[in-house]
Amino acid sequence: MAKQISVQEAAALVKDGMTIMVGGFLSVGGPNAVLHAIAETGVKDLTVIANDGGQPRFENGLHELIHNGQVKHLIATHIGVNPEVGQMMNAGTMKVTLVPQGSLAEKVRAGGYGLGGVLTPTGLGTPVGEEAGKEVITVNGKEYLLEEPLRADIAICYGTTTDAYGNTKYHGTTRNFNTVMATAADVVIMQADQIVDMLDADEIIVQGILVDYVVDGGAK
Amino acid sequence: MAKQISVQEAAALVKDGMTIMVGGFLSVGGPNAVLHAIAETGVKDLTVIANDGGQPRFENGLHELIHNGQVKHLIATHIGVNPEVGQMMNAGTMKVTLVPQGSLAEKVRAGGYGLGGVLTPTGLGTPVGEEAGKEVITVNGKEYLLEEPLRADIAICYGTTTDAYGNTKYHGTTRNFNTVMATAADVVIMQADQIVDMLDADEIIVQGILVDYVVDGGAK
Amino acid sequence: MDKGEIKAYIAKRAAKEFKDGDVVNLGIGLPTMIPSFLPADVKVVLEAENGMAGAGPKPAAEDVDLCVSDAGGQPSSIAPGGAFIDSATSFGLIRGGHVDATVLGALQVDEKGNLANWIIPGKMVPGMGGAMDLVVGASNVIVAMEHTQKGNPKILKQCTLPLTAKTCVTKIITEMGVIDVTDEGLVLVEINPEFSVDDVKAATEAELKVSPDLKTIE
Amino acid sequence: MDKGEIKAYIAKRAAKEFKDGDVVNLGIGLPTMIPSFLPADVKVVLEAENGMAGAGPKPAAEDVDLCVSDAGGQPSSIAPGGAFIDSATSFGLIRGGHVDATVLGALQVDEKGNLANWIIPGKMVPGMGGAMDLVVGASNVIVAMEHTQKGNPKILKQCTLPLTAKTCVTKIITEMGVIDVTDEGLVLVEINPEFSVDDVKAATEAELKVSPDLKTIE
């Protein structure tokens, strides 16, 4: 069984200097209630692994953390939607590491699934490839970049419906990085719109054995 | 839309010398109707990538192909349940390559998802590792085997329920290798227990864009 | 050509690249205009890298589902036969060659088909998002863009900005014409009759061959 | 010890290794007897590598669902809170350290914790199935087996059969006792009172240290 805790209890698990993974894609499928509570704790020097740098509209919790200066290092694929991220990056107040979106998904999955890395053609011959010091490995005459695994201290994920065991399913495009991130952290928090007794075993997207804590994020 | 064809039409797609992937785990979740039709065509010199060597009971289509001598080379994880496979291997009438089950899943996924391979600790220091000529790559001080991708000419997969678009969902433990194999072949055949007009987009396990042909395997 | 018509003109021509059943990923901006120009008998499956294999049109205001967006974060819908997918699956489909074409904009393209479209160091840093995977994974990579940027060529001998990927572009469609990227370099295969071949060459820094079969864009 | 009691004795002792909520993968044969010996307050989640994170007991004949099997291909069931999974997910969970323990048999184990359990060249070729992944991925690798094979030691100085994995075994449970695999070698930590320490040593080819805290198996 996953333990059900409050948004404040979930937020209190995040400590200064931790590396956290945050699910969501711009304003869809992010664990905003927990992120908002983290913003309120004032925790700092976080390294955040996420798809993007949040979106400065709606109630975007990732944007809030960044805006507050609580993030020391952002590892993401796209930051253009939140101009503040680029400004902080250029001003040197926040370090930003850009990763191709598909490579980020595989790096997190590799971290969660015990792989030492994956070989991808993505990024070859670009600033995120050899130039960034990544190893080039040739398989059957074709070159690939070795993308190493990523893990975090805590993954903060969103789910549409979660059960008492932590099993989770999704509606719409809310899965995004939530599914792989739930595999790749020492502690996994699942913020759900709805918590039910038990989901159908055929319909589960994130397995309950991955989830440590369930948080009621409130129905949308 | 995926094209719906008969089991015989599906079987006729398989030609002498082809490499085929066959979903299923022992007697659960295998595309037996199509395999039985392939057995009847008498096609030969097949290379088969599958979890196991079939089970010599129930209506096991993979066992039938092997028993008939239609398989030249079997790439599998476990052959102990079908003693005939070991006998053919030792007699030299069929080549057998054994692969760890988790590595097989990742090799097929890599083949289907455009990765040049994955790094796994599984098999290090064993006859399927360095001794078999696999490259050892060190990441962050830890050794891994480079497992290269696998692909096939045709993947013959099973699904519980498939829709007109080829979208497929599963009941029970029938998913096994069907899901990754559907990504990793030039032509993908999905034998379904049931074919419906359209599945709920939130419930799909194998995406229709992967599936070329749908075959009605008949309800169990 | 009238500035206000350029994007629609490019999108309309790009729409001719697809056949019924193709799986296509469309970048933000101009490429999203393409579906409205598809012939009635051509239905493409839109892959949205944020989570749909089979996206539908932008929903009417009253039909908006906040849990369904496109890769730009804008409200979207699922098409009949579409499937919701996670990011690892989405990019598996893309990287694995299950997407027939991607259409996207560019800052620069060069003679070898190298593409730069994700960063202007020190100025614009949007990040590559899914672009690097898309241009490596999709079977056809079509750049759909205005031919020049404030009068400066964007089709160059060699890209000067950091690359998105090497030798990935297969075709360039602009308001001036259609250029194939071939082993022998860039070849103008279709032209907008409002321009001459010399006009196109003058707006192109790269060496531009002209197809002996040069056609007029209809 | 009575031959007919050996397997149950080993399974009963192995059942004490788990705490409530542990995720455990059980090999075919003897290990599958373990759940029936778990205390009432210890519920483990059974991972079945063929496709369940949370397997239930063998169903009664009238409840058999042909689409639900265990990794041996035998009818099984899903437990409350269990999830059906595909092979890539299953081994991701295993390799990624999300399985707390695996209990499996062995042909040979040695002083370094090396394990051989998948092939006797020229004779028995069952294949490794999921074993190689399980012993590399699970946090605890418990070998539960009869101490000897037809009187011959199976706990050796060095495995002679092809390995399943190097230095992977953390504990060995037999009808004679419980042996921890430590950096200093094999240490007998518990003993079946029907045997003397010398009996155990005589049945073990590997050097066997004896814990100063040696306990009796209850």
Side-chain angles (χ1 to χ4, degrees):
Chain A
M1 306 284 266
K3 191 174 175 196
Q4 190 174 337
I5 58 177
S6 68
V7 290
Q8 288 75 21
E9 288 169 319
L13 296 168
V14 179
K15 311 292 185 193
D16 289 354
M18 274 191 172
T19 296
I20 62 173
M21 288 183 182
V22 174
F25 193 110
L26 296 172
S27 283
V28 175
N32 291 311
V34 173
L35 295 176
H36 179 65
I38 293 171
E40 290 195 327
T41 67
V43 65
K44 60 183 193 299
D45 294 333
L46 299 176
T47 294
V48 171
I49 301 169
N51 175 66
D52 50 73
Q55 200 164 10
R57 56 186 180 130
F58 309 123
E59 280 284 308
N60 189 293
L62 181 52
H63 167 254
E64 193 178 0
L65 287 182
I66 290 169
H67 177 78
N68 288 354
Q70 295 174 276
V71 180
K72 176 184 66 177
H73 183 187
L74 175 67
I75 299 169
T77 80
H78 194 273
I79 57 172
V81 176
N82 187 355
E84 202 171 350
V85 174
Q87 289 156 20
M88 293 170 84
M89 178 180 174
N90 289 336
T93 54
M94 181 172 71
K95 181 180 172 188
V96 176
T97 303
L98 290 167
V99 181
Q101 211 164 96
S103 298
L104 184 66
E106 287 298 318
K107 286 164 80 75
V108 173
R109 180 182 184 273
Y113 276 4
L115 298 172
V118 299
L119 305 187
T120 179
T122 304
L124 271 174
T126 79
V128 301
E130 310 86 308
E131 301 169 34
K134 283 180 191 156
E135 197 173 342
V136 176
I137 292 177
T138 302
V139 176
N140 297 322
K142 210 178 150 205
E143 289 190 338
Y144 298 91
L145 283 181
L146 169 55
E147 286 284 2
E148 298 186 5
L150 277 175
R151 284 189 62 87
D153 296 306
I154 301 184
I156 306 168
C157 301
Y158 164 92
T160 305
T161 310
T162 294
D163 72 15
Y165 302 86
N167 293 306
T168 301
K169 65 178 193 175
Y170 289 85
H171 170 56
T173 58
T174 59
R175 302 180 188 196
N176 51 65
F177 282 89
N178 288 300
T179 56
V180 283
M181 288 179 173
T183 70
D186 297 343
V187 172
V188 174
I189 299 166
M190 182 64 74
Q191 175 193 317
D193 283 357
Q194 190 186 17
I195 300 173
V196 299
D197 288 346
M198 197 170 84
L199 290 172
D200 182 335
D202 281 326
E203 293 184 353
I204 291 160
I205 302 295
V206 172
Q207 298 79 40
I209 64 169
L210 295 168
V211 176
D212 298 289
Y213 299 104
V214 171
V215 174
D216 187 346
K220 289 248 167 57
Chain B
M1 306 285 266
K3 190 174 175 194
Q4 190 174 337
I5 59 176
S6 69
V7 288
Q8 287 75 21
E9 288 170 319
L13 296 169
V14 179
K15 311 291 185 193
D16 288 354
M18 274 191 172
T19 295
I20 62 173
M21 289 184 182
V22 175
F25 193 110
L26 296 172
S27 285
V28 175
N32 291 311
V34 173
L35 295 177
H36 179 64
I38 293 172
E40 291 194 327
T41 67
V43 68
K44 60 182 193 300
D45 294 333
L46 299 176
T47 294
V48 171
I49 301 169
N51 175 66
D52 50 72
Q55 201 165 10
R57 55 185 180 131
F58 308 123
E59 280 284 308
N60 189 294
L62 182 52
H63 166 253
E64 193 178 359
L65 287 182
I66 291 169
H67 177 78
N68 289 353
Q70 295 173 275
V71 180
K72 175 184 67 176
H73 183 187
L74 176 67
I75 299 169
T77 80
H78 193 274
I79 57 172
V81 176
N82 188 356
E84 201 171 350
V85 174
Q87 289 155 20
M88 293 170 83
M89 178 180 173
N90 289 335
T93 54
M94 180 173 69
K95 180 180 172 187
V96 176
T97 303
L98 291 166
V99 182
Q101 211 164 98
S103 298
L104 184 65
E106 287 299 317
K107 285 164 80 76
V108 174
R109 181 183 184 272
Y113 277 3
L115 299 172
V118 300
L119 306 186
T120 178
T122 303
L124 271 174
T126 80
V128 302
E130 310 87 307
E131 301 170 34
K134 283 180 191 156
E135 197 174 343
V136 176
I137 292 177
T138 301
V139 176
N140 297 323
K142 211 178 149 201
E143 290 189 337
Y144 297 91
L145 285 180
L146 169 55
E147 287 284 2
E148 298 185 5
L150 277 175
R151 284 188 62 86
D153 296 305
I154 301 185
I156 306 168
C157 301
Y158 163 92
T160 306
T161 310
T162 294
D163 72 15
Y165 302 87
N167 293 306
T168 301
K169 65 178 194 176
Y170 288 85
H171 169 56
T173 59
T174 59
R175 301 181 188 195
N176 51 64
F177 281 89
N178 290 300
T179 56
V180 283
M181 288 177 173
T183 69
D186 296 343
V187 172
V188 175
I189 299 166
M190 182 65 75
Q191 176 193 318
D193 283 358
Q194 191 187 17
I195 300 173
V196 299
D197 287 346
M198 198 171 84
L199 290 172
D200 182 335
D202 281 326
E203 294 184 354
I204 291 160
I205 302 297
V206 172
Q207 298 79 41
I209 63 168
L210 295 169
V211 176
D212 298 289
Y213 298 104
V214 171
V215 174
D216 187 346
K220 289 248 167 56
Chain C
M1 185 162 204
D2 188 75
K3 188 82 183 164
E5 292 172 15
I6 288 178
K7 285 185 179 173
Y9 183 86
I10 297 170
K12 187 179 170 190
R13 174 57 191 82
K16 294 184 184 167
E17 292 298 314
F18 309 112
K19 59 179 194 304
D20 193 49
D22 277 358
V23 180
V24 182
N25 182 293
L26 302 175
I28 297 171
L30 188 162
T32 60
M33 299 167 68
I34 293 173
S36 58
F37 292 107
L38 288 172
D41 59 343
V42 176
K43 300 241 183 323
V44 301
V45 177
L46 296 176
E47 207 275 349
E49 70 265 28
N50 62 307
M52 289 185 277
K58 192 179 169 71
E62 65 271 25
D63 294 330
V64 166
D65 178 341
L66 290 176
C67 291
V68 181
S69 82
D70 64 21
Q74 300 304 307
S76 185
S77 67
I78 189 90
F84 290 116
I85 53 182
D86 68 5
S87 297
T89 305
S90 179
F91 284 94
L93 296 176
I94 289 167
R95 201 189 309 99
H98 306 288
V99 173
D100 298 299
T102 185
V103 186
L104 71 182
L107 296 167
Q108 300 176 336
V109 189
D110 72 19
E111 288 181 7
K112 293 203 165 69
N114 296 323
L115 172 69
N117 77 344
W118 69 282
I119 189 170
I120 303 175
K123 285 171 111 175
M124 188 193 72
V125 193
M128 72 292 288
M132 285 191 180
D133 297 280
L134 278 159
V135 299
V136 163
S139 308
N140 292 293
V141 175
I142 301 167
V143 168
M145 64 174 188
E146 295 187 43
H147 205 96
T148 56
Q149 166 76 11
K150 296 180 184 164
N152 296 315
K154 297 171 74 178
I155 304 171
L156 307 178
K157 284 190 175 304
Q158 191 169 350
C159 291
T160 57
L161 291 170
L163 295 185
T164 306
K166 285 169 123 165
T167 61
C168 60
V169 177
T170 52
K171 193 176 286 255
I172 305 165
I173 301 175
T174 77
E175 77 281 14
M176 300 187 96
V178 179
I179 296 167
D180 281 353
V181 182
T182 76
D183 290 345
E184 283 75 43
L186 303 182
V187 181
L188 184 70
V189 292
E190 291 182 41
I191 192 165
N192 178 343
E194 289 190 28
F195 299 97
S196 70
V197 167
D198 284 344
D199 289 339
V200 183
K201 285 189 169 176
T204 309
E205 185 202 284
E207 191 191 333
L208 191 62
K209 295 190 172 65
V210 180
S211 169
D213 251 357
L214 183 68
K215 292 188 174 61
T216 295
I217 296 179
E218 285 165 29
Chain D
M1 188 162 201
D2 187 76
K3 189 81 183 166
E5 292 172 14
I6 288 178
K7 285 186 178 173
Y9 183 85
I10 297 169
K12 186 180 171 190
R13 173 57 190 82
K16 294 184 182 166
E17 292 297 315
F18 308 113
K19 59 179 196 304
D20 193 50
D22 276 358
V23 180
V24 182
N25 183 293
L26 302 175
I28 296 171
L30 189 161
T32 61
M33 300 167 67
I34 293 173
S36 59
F37 292 107
L38 288 171
D41 59 343
V42 176
K43 301 241 183 325
V44 301
V45 177
L46 295 176
E47 207 275 348
E49 71 265 28
N50 62 308
M52 288 186 277
K58 192 179 169 72
E62 66 271 25
D63 295 329
V64 166
D65 178 342
L66 289 176
C67 291
V68 181
S69 82
D70 63 21
Q74 299 303 308
S76 186
S77 67
I78 190 90
F84 290 117
I85 53 181
D86 69 6
S87 298
T89 305
S90 179
F91 284 94
L93 296 175
I94 289 166
R95 200 189 309 100
H98 306 288
V99 173
D100 297 300
T102 185
V103 187
L104 71 181
L107 297 166
Q108 299 176 338
V109 189
D110 73 19
E111 288 182 8
K112 293 204 164 70
N114 296 324
L115 171 69
N117 78 342
W118 70 283
I119 190 170
I120 303 175
K123 285 171 112 175
M124 189 193 71
V125 193
M128 71 294 286
M132 285 192 181
D133 298 279
L134 278 159
V135 299
V136 163
S139 309
N140 292 293
V141 176
I142 300 168
V143 168
M145 64 173 187
E146 295 187 43
H147 205 96
T148 56
Q149 165 76 11
K150 297 179 183 166
N152 296 313
K154 298 171 73 177
I155 304 171
L156 307 178
K157 284 192 175 305
Q158 192 169 348
C159 291
T160 57
L161 291 172
L163 296 184
T164 307
K166 285 169 122 165
T167 62
C168 60
V169 177
T170 53
K171 194 175 285 255
I172 305 164
I173 301 176
T174 77
E175 76 282 14
M176 300 187 96
V178 178
I179 295 167
D180 281 351
V181 182
T182 75
D183 290 345
E184 282 76 45
L186 304 181
V187 181
L188 184 71
V189 293
E190 292 182 41
I191 191 166
N192 177 344
E194 289 190 27
F195 298 98
S196 70
V197 167
D198 284 344
D199 289 337
V200 183
K201 285 189 169 177
T204 308
E205 184 201 283
E207 191 190 335
L208 192 62
K209 294 189 172 64
V210 179
S211 169
D213 250 357
L214 183 68
K215 292 187 174 60
T216 295
I217 295 179
E218 284 165 29

